[in-house]
Amino acid sequence: MAYQFGNAIFVGDTLQKLLASPPKTRLLMCHDYPPSNRSVEWESTVAQQRAHNIHVHHGINENEFVTMRNKHDATLEMPTLLLPSIQVNIRAGKLPPAERNGVAYFKIPINFI
């Protein structure tokens, strides 16, 4: 199962392999977008994800996942820090190199926004 968002592809088969791990397996999340009634969580278990993750829970098939994500994503605006985050992520966490004036800049494509 693969889901494409812009230029990113999320591979559902890998997620399903993770969900096949023992229920008590700890998962350390890279980010969380909680509803307003819940605080941010950075640690979970396979059992918790199987039971509560609306996006990749155990048993969701490719068509259901793609349909749900496309419907949900159509309601979202581009995240405020998406472009700067991508620039750091593609450098494995390093900031862009400094220019001749000694200052590092995030570059935003003005015809993309």
Side-chain angles (χ1 to χ4, degrees), residues 47-98:
Q48 289 170 311
Q49 293 302 308
R50 285 181 188 165
H52 303 292
N53 189 318
I54 62 171
H55 301 286
V56 294
H57 58 82
H58 184 69
I60 191 168
N61 69 43
E62 180 177 3
N63 289 334
E64 292 168 331
F65 177 76
V66 170
T67 299
M68 182 268 306
R69 286 304 316 200
N70 285 334
K71 182 179 177 183
H72 175 72
D73 293 350
T75 68
L76 303 175
E77 294 187 25
M78 184 170 72
T80 304
L81 297 175
L82 178 65
L83 297 175
S85 298
I86 291 170
Q87 293 174 58
V88 173
N89 288 345
I90 63 175
R91 291 180 176 87
K94 296 179 183 175
L95 293 175

Side-chain angles (χ1 to χ4, degrees), residues 89-110:
N89 288 345
I90 63 175
R91 291 180 176 87
K94 296 179 183 175
L95 293 175
E99 303 221 353
R100 283 183 270 185
N101 65 358
V103 178
Y105 295 94
F106 289 121
K107 297 185 179 180
I108 307 298
I110 59 173

Side-chain angles (χ1 to χ4, degrees), residues 21-43:
S21 299
K24 292 183 181 180
T25 301
R26 288 175 57 209
L27 302 172
L28 302 176
M29 304 295 138
C30 52
H31 53 83
D32 183 24
Y33 302 102
S36 59
N37 63 347
R38 178 175 65 75
S39 61
V40 174
E41 298 175 3
W42 57 87
E43 185 176 350

